[in-house]
Amino acid sequence: MTQISAFADQLVAQRYRDPAPTPAPEWNPVLQVLHEHRSIRRYLADPVPDAILRLLVSAAQSAPTSSNLQAWSVIAVRDPERKARLATLAGDQDHIRQAPVLLVWTADLARLRALAAERGAPLDGADYLESSYVAFLDAALAAQNAATAAESLGLGTVYIGAIRNNPEQVAAELSLPPGVFAVVGLVVGTPDPSEDARVKPRLPQAAVLHEETYDTTGLGAHLAEYESRIAAFYAEQNLEHSWIDRVLTRLGSAAALKGRDRLRDQLAAQGFPLR
Amino acid sequence: MTQISAFADQLVAQRYRDPAPTPAPEWNPVLQVLHEHRSIRRYLADPVPDAILRLLVSAAQSAPTSSNLQAWSVIAVRDPERKARLATLAGDQDHIRQAPVLLVWTADLARLRALAAERGAPLDGADYLESSYVAFLDAALAAQNAATAAESLGLGTVYIGAIRNNPEQVAAELSLPPGVFAVVGLVVGTPDPSEDARVKPRLPQAAVLHEETYDTTGLGAHLAEYESRIAAFYAEQNLEHSWIDRVLTRLGSAAALKGRDRLRDQLAAQGFPLR
């Protein structure tokens, strides 16, 4: 038990690179898989068997969904040519080409709209901004369950937000009807052991966890601490990065959004009027 | 191994109530916790210790986050009076009052805005609709990891989307600054064993998993199948519900959104201009 507990403490400490971490009071294989998450950006070509894919999707469908609307769908892309075209559309990320499968998680109001049309019932609520968030959140919870399931099976994953860089072309490639929008991609495959992917440290917990009310006490110190902890993480990979510079660049301008500054119009064109 | 596998098949079958389920090829404690998820709506008063709360948050911070922006924060509300006021604002759900803690997951662009302001750097990208989705998605992935972690420890959870019914009052109650918006609540506590909470069946997998491109073949049959499977689930609880009627009511009108039809203006007021 002491040994397990020491291991747990080490895994939690690794997430923060905190020299004085809080001990983990309990531990189990689920906490371990969650804490050991790292994004994988180099894959072997080994296929993901159908039966495993179905298990990832049953895990995804086990996630909570707002009012049981289940306002999401997932497209499993394994055809190498389609996957390569999607890679090009999504920031030209080569790991999408390498890995055997790209799961495209979509917000899906089309299924519910079809039901309403069949019954001649109104579905005015679906036109609101709120319903787009509901569908995006549903898709995210499902995707995260699939990612956790995949990692529990020794598979690697990485999310692809850049699937939103070119929504019209992605919708055409995947034959998405109006009311279906590609929210995020998830690459799944066998990690290439040559990558040495590491657990990326996160902000000190005190910067994100607030007790009772939102509180910015000490925020400056937490951010400075993080800037130095993550610099050490990058240095291990012979990179000289500043987290602060990176986030300020990432959100610095409309151009830095790489096409996603047009998202409102693109969603409207895809059947999400966002009233 | 055969015994484990039979148990796994049973858990997957339970998720769909499919009389002819696909066998699960592999199984582990993570898949089990994910597949056994059920929402808990009756809680004992037992507190969630601080150390456990911190472990849920380190699991949450282990979730992927877009470009490592970490554009979320969580407020842990344990004060009974504040929790009761939030319960009233969020659809008057009594389980929020019963359970020892309500975690309010927020989209948080305020932390990055503060960094930009300190450096005199622009952060124009944060003003776009896209960045609100990034922050909502970040919050959702984090929350889902916390939910999975909680359930692995035998705790119960239920999401509270109704935290978006009255965003102005929720923001005031939690002292949320501009740039921080309450996305979703998560109740955490010890399940009251008197509840008999069951695994809710989901749509047949063929209705949500698409191969290569979006495909509605057989959708009508899948939906009819589901309507009868979930009717059986409700009947066990002496309820006579139609899933189709419920979803059509839930999204039938602006009024059915319970205030969330005003979300666009409320987000703007809270510092999310959604350009």
Side-chain angles (χ1 to χ4, degrees):
Chain A
M1 197 58 204
T2 312
Q3 205 179 346
I4 291 171
S5 181
F7 179 58
D9 294 352
Q10 194 185 318
L11 283 181
V12 175
Q14 175 179 233
R15 177 56 69 193
Y16 294 109
R17 297 203 172 212
D18 186 342
T22 321
E26 296 208 39
W27 202 246
N28 62 47
V30 177
L31 295 170
Q32 183 164 336
V33 163
L34 296 174
H35 282 84
E36 285 194 315
H37 163 74
R38 62 206 75 189
S39 293
I40 300 297
R41 294 188 174 82
R42 216 180 294 162
Y43 291 88
L44 304 181
D46 309 15
V48 172
D50 265 7
I52 295 290
L53 178 61
R54 284 196 295 268
L55 198 49
L56 303 186
V57 176
S58 62
Q61 289 190 261
S62 299
T65 147
S66 179
S67 305
N68 200 25
L69 295 176
Q70 305 179 60
W72 63 275
S73 282
V74 61
I75 329 288
V77 179
R78 291 189 274 197
D79 175 59
E81 292 179 17
R82 177 173 291 107
K83 204 153 51 59
R85 290 192 297 272
L86 288 168
T88 305
L89 292 171
D92 203 29
Q93 298 182 54
D94 209 43
H95 37 268
I96 302 175
R97 292 187 192 89
Q98 279 174 12
V101 59
L102 172 67
L103 298 176
V104 182
W105 302 88
T106 67
D108 189 344
L109 296 173
R111 192 162 47 226
L112 303 177
R113 285 193 198 281
L115 267 180
E118 191 194 295
R119 302 266 176 133
L123 206 72
D124 297 353
D127 291 346
Y128 285 81
L129 177 66
E130 155 70 10
S131 297
S132 79
Y133 286 117
V134 161
F136 272 57
L137 293 172
D138 265 15
L141 300 183
Q144 185 55 15
N145 262 23
T148 300
E151 293 178 9
S152 81
L153 293 165
L155 295 168
T157 66
V158 63
Y159 275 94
I160 308 293
I163 202 81
R164 299 192 301 277
N165 287 7
N166 294 288
E168 298 94 338
Q169 293 93 319
V170 167
E173 185 63 68
L174 300 175
S175 306
L176 304 184
V180 182
F181 193 87
V183 170
V184 75
L186 184 73
V187 167
V188 181
T190 303
D192 181 338
S194 76
E195 188 189 355
D196 187 26
R198 299 188 184 194
V199 167
K200 187 176 280 183
R202 299 286 192 227
L203 287 165
Q205 188 167 106
V208 306
L209 170 60
H210 304 254
E211 304 279 351
E212 298 301 329
T213 55
Y214 195 91
D215 179 12
T216 57
T217 309
L219 181 60
H222 296 318
L223 293 173
E225 207 166 84
Y226 184 59
E227 180 76 343
S228 96
R229 287 180 189 167
I230 197 165
F233 164 82
Y234 285 126
E236 287 169 12
Q237 296 157 78
N238 299 312
L239 295 168
E240 227 180 299
H241 283 331
S242 151
W243 177 73
I244 294 176
D245 289 351
R246 287 165 76 87
V247 301
L248 296 184
T249 303
R250 170 69 174 73
L251 291 179
S253 64
L257 299 185
K258 300 187 176 165
R260 298 188 224 165
D261 52 313
R262 300 177 300 119
L263 189 58
R264 181 185 270 220
D265 292 343
Q266 291 158 332
L267 272 160
Q270 193 59 27
F272 292 77
L274 308 184
R275 284 176 65 187
Chain B
M1 197 58 202
T2 312
Q3 202 181 349
I4 290 171
S5 182
F7 178 56
D9 295 353
Q10 193 185 318
L11 282 181
V12 175
Q14 175 180 231
R15 177 55 70 194
Y16 295 108
R17 298 204 171 209
D18 186 342
T22 321
E26 297 207 38
W27 202 247
N28 62 47
V30 177
L31 295 170
Q32 183 165 334
V33 163
L34 295 174
H35 282 84
E36 286 195 313
H37 163 74
R38 63 207 72 191
S39 293
I40 300 297
R41 293 188 174 83
R42 216 181 294 161
Y43 290 88
L44 303 181
D46 310 16
V48 172
D50 263 8
I52 295 291
L53 177 62
R54 284 196 295 268
L55 198 49
L56 303 186
V57 177
S58 63
Q61 289 191 261
S62 299
T65 147
S66 180
S67 305
N68 200 25
L69 295 176
Q70 306 179 60
W72 62 276
S73 281
V74 61
I75 328 288
V77 178
R78 291 189 274 197
D79 175 60
E81 290 178 17
R82 177 173 291 107
K83 206 154 48 58
R85 289 191 298 269
L86 288 168
T88 304
L89 291 171
D92 202 29
Q93 298 182 52
D94 209 43
H95 35 270
I96 302 175
R97 292 186 193 94
Q98 279 174 11
V101 60
L102 172 68
L103 297 177
V104 182
W105 302 88
T106 67
D108 188 346
L109 295 172
R111 191 162 49 225
L112 302 176
R113 286 193 198 279
L115 267 179
E118 190 194 295
R119 302 266 178 130
L123 206 72
D124 296 353
D127 291 345
Y128 285 81
L129 177 66
E130 156 69 10
S131 297
S132 79
Y133 287 118
V134 162
F136 271 57
L137 292 172
D138 266 14
L141 300 182
Q144 185 55 13
N145 263 23
T148 300
E151 293 178 8
S152 82
L153 293 165
L155 295 168
T157 67
V158 63
Y159 276 95
I160 308 293
I163 202 82
R164 300 192 300 279
N165 288 7
N166 293 289
E168 299 93 339
Q169 293 93 321
V170 167
E173 185 64 66
L174 300 175
S175 307
L176 304 184
V180 182
F181 192 87
V183 170
V184 75
L186 184 73
V187 168
V188 180
T190 302
D192 180 337
S194 75
E195 187 188 356
D196 186 27
R198 298 187 184 197
V199 167
K200 188 177 277 183
R202 298 288 193 224
L203 286 165
Q205 189 168 103
V208 306
L209 169 60
H210 304 254
E211 303 278 350
E212 297 302 330
T213 54
Y214 194 92
D215 179 12
T216 56
T217 309
L219 181 60
H222 296 318
L223 293 174
E225 208 164 83
Y226 184 58
E227 180 76 344
S228 93
R229 287 179 189 168
I230 198 166
F233 164 82
Y234 285 127
E236 286 169 13
Q237 295 156 77
N238 299 312
L239 295 168
E240 226 180 300
H241 283 331
S242 150
W243 177 72
I244 295 177
D245 289 350
R246 286 165 75 87
V247 301
L248 296 184
T249 302
R250 169 71 173 71
L251 290 179
S253 65
L257 299 184
K258 297 185 178 168
R260 298 188 224 165
D261 53 313
R262 300 177 301 121
L263 189 58
R264 181 184 269 219
D265 292 342
Q266 291 158 332
L267 273 160
Q270 192 60 25
F272 292 77
L274 309 184
R275 284 176 66 185

